[in-house]
Amino acid sequence: MKKLFQSDWGSRLIEGLLPVFATLAALLLGAVMLLFLKVNPVEAYKALWEGAFGSTNAFAETLVKATPLLLVALGICISFRGDVINIGGEGQMIVGALLGTWVGLTFTTLPGWLGVSFALLLGFVGGAIWGGIPGFLKAYFRVNEILSTVMMNAIAVQLMNFLLRGPMIDPSQAELASQIPQTARLLEIFRLPRLVPTRLHLGALIAVALAILVYILLWRTTLGYRIRAVGQNPNASRYAGIKVPRYVVLALLLSGAFAGLAGVTQVFGVNYRMITDGSASGFTGSAGFNGIVAALFGQLHPIWSIPASVLFGALLVGANSMQRAVQVPSAFVTALNGLVVVFVVSSEIWRRRRQRRRLAAVMRDEEAPPGDKENIPQAETVA
Amino acid sequence: MSSEYLQIDLIISIFASAVRLGTIVLFAALGELIVERSGVLNLSVEGMMLTGALAGFLVGYFSHSLWFGVLAAAFAGMIVSVIFALLAVVFQVDQTVSGLTVNIFAGGLTFFIYRTIFPDVGSQGTPNLVPFSALKIPYLSQIPMLGELLFSHHAMAYLALFMVLVIWFYMYRTKSGLILRTIGENPRAVDMKGVNVTTYRVLAVLFGGVMAGLAGSVITLGSAGVFVADITAGRGWLAIAIVIFGDWKPGRILWASLFFGFIDALQMQVQALGIRLPYQLFLAMPYIMTVIAVFLGRRRSGAPIALGTAYVRE
């Protein structure tokens, strides 16, 4: 056990700061791209800061952006703790939002609070279904969940495009020649109440409350304990009598459910309708991917995911106002966002590999295995 | 009588476009076959194809030479594959994550480059070029039915079909091919014989990049003549599914490609005939098929045993 403890503090600190370094590296690369576009990076990044924190309105926008990130991140905390890699947040958000919107447009006679609760519930269910399918395929048929969740994203996009152009299209749009693929607007009574005179809505508070709930779930309940146990060592869990496949399904199902909730709050708190530009990010704003980064930022801890989401929301809002301030193509923001995701996710994978290698080294040195201190992902084949 | 002829014409044209569409994914699938046979699971085919499609279009557009475009596409696909090879083979980051990462990166980058070069797309109209025209093989293309089916395609389609033979010969009739296949099954054994596993895998990934780039160029230079965001529309994922369907064997991969080409051609015909099926269903088809392929493929025998695992020397 010597080696493991010797390097503990130093490497803990490095590992904790790794996502920060990764983000800085991405921003640095972004600065190089800005130079190519003949834009002063200092000026650009100053505009980014102002846009995220410069005024009450700016900060409220940051929190509005952070809300879906946090909800997705909570789901990611659950699934990654169970060693299930859920890349399907985008699709789960879409399906959740579709079901929730359907409720909002169909049951118009319900009182406001009941209609919204029902919509949130079905959004939860929709995301759970879309996450549960890859979970089921992984647990019982050993289909790689990374591949299948990515595929489910693409399928969800087409489902959304079909529904918003067909069965769910705004009746007034259906008559017009333009045929904009969007649903009708939600009734005023179904809108999530706003908190201060900004666009900040109740969804933000719901997300924070759920963060506490997820913390309790993961560390204070049997269900959470088993999900984490399966994630850390499926073999030991099996010998301990835990039905491993069941908890693999549950981890992905719950993960999807939170993403579904994120989708509903976007519709009921921000846009009040669903509209598609044909792509997933057109609806989600890539929150399904960015939520993963936010969760990794927060060390896969639900409470730490709150500040992580706010920081990441700030980055997104700030990048948009930077784009307006210094006149760079909007594709730059997409590219910058992609860079941050790539760098942070890679750094996390690198951290896991390092940990695994260190553990393996310790196991080789000592006769007795030290037990699984941290998460060790299992190698697995896709086919 | 005339309506019967029409129907035969229709069927022939469906099959002909099945060959044309099938050869697009055939390039990418053959490349992926070599990569996977070396034990590397490359999920970034889509990104490599997309980059190839853009590079082929840009160079073809500015140089007015389609063949320069094809070369550029192959090169661009290779550049992207270098990134993947570095991540997945050299630094041994999880192969699935590396592949997805490269996809996100390539997707954002191609769009960024395209919009930087053509800032006024939309207001000025989409820039376009004249794609490859059909190369009718003398005499053979005159054969009724068979002529249109097999001998009236553009040059890249013939090249793709020819590559099946090349790949087959390489895999089963050369020493290097044998080593490659063994690396996919048991890298340690090959390593002990003094062969550098990493070099082999990197080269295999680069070849996969070249082939994916070529596949991308066939889309922009062979039929579309324009570039739009996400023009590959899931064909990179389809290539991965085809390798699984084709049981990691070149001959079966040819048939699997033609089969998917047929489905693609059929959906275009269905749309043209105005049959009321949501077209989104067909757009989602490559992804649904990939999941089904992976689901069915898990029992196949042809899968390289070391597929998806990094090789760590003792």
Side-chain angles (χ1 to χ4, degrees), chain A residues 71-72 75-76 78-79 86 92 127 250-260:
Chain A
L71 285 169
V72 173
I76 295 298
I78 300 173
S79 70
N86 177 15
Q92 291 145 10
L250 268 174
L252 244 170
L253 190 137
L254 280 172
S255 186
F258 278 97

Side-chain angles (χ1 to χ4, degrees), chain A residues 144-160:
Chain A
N144 180 303
E145 79 279 18
I146 303 183
L147 188 66
S148 59
T149 48
V150 170
M151 298 296 112
M152 294 296 279
N153 285 343
I155 297 168
V157 173
Q158 297 306 334
L159 182 68
M160 168 176 74

Side-chain angles (χ1 to χ4, degrees), chain A residues 141 146-147 151 342 353 382, chain B residues 41 92 100-101 237 294 298:
Chain A
F141 300 100
I146 303 183
L147 188 66
M151 298 296 112
V342 164
R353 281 192 57 82
V382 163
Chain B
L41 179 71
Q92 307 197 332
L100 292 171
T101 303
W237 294 104
V294 174
R298 77 210 140 83

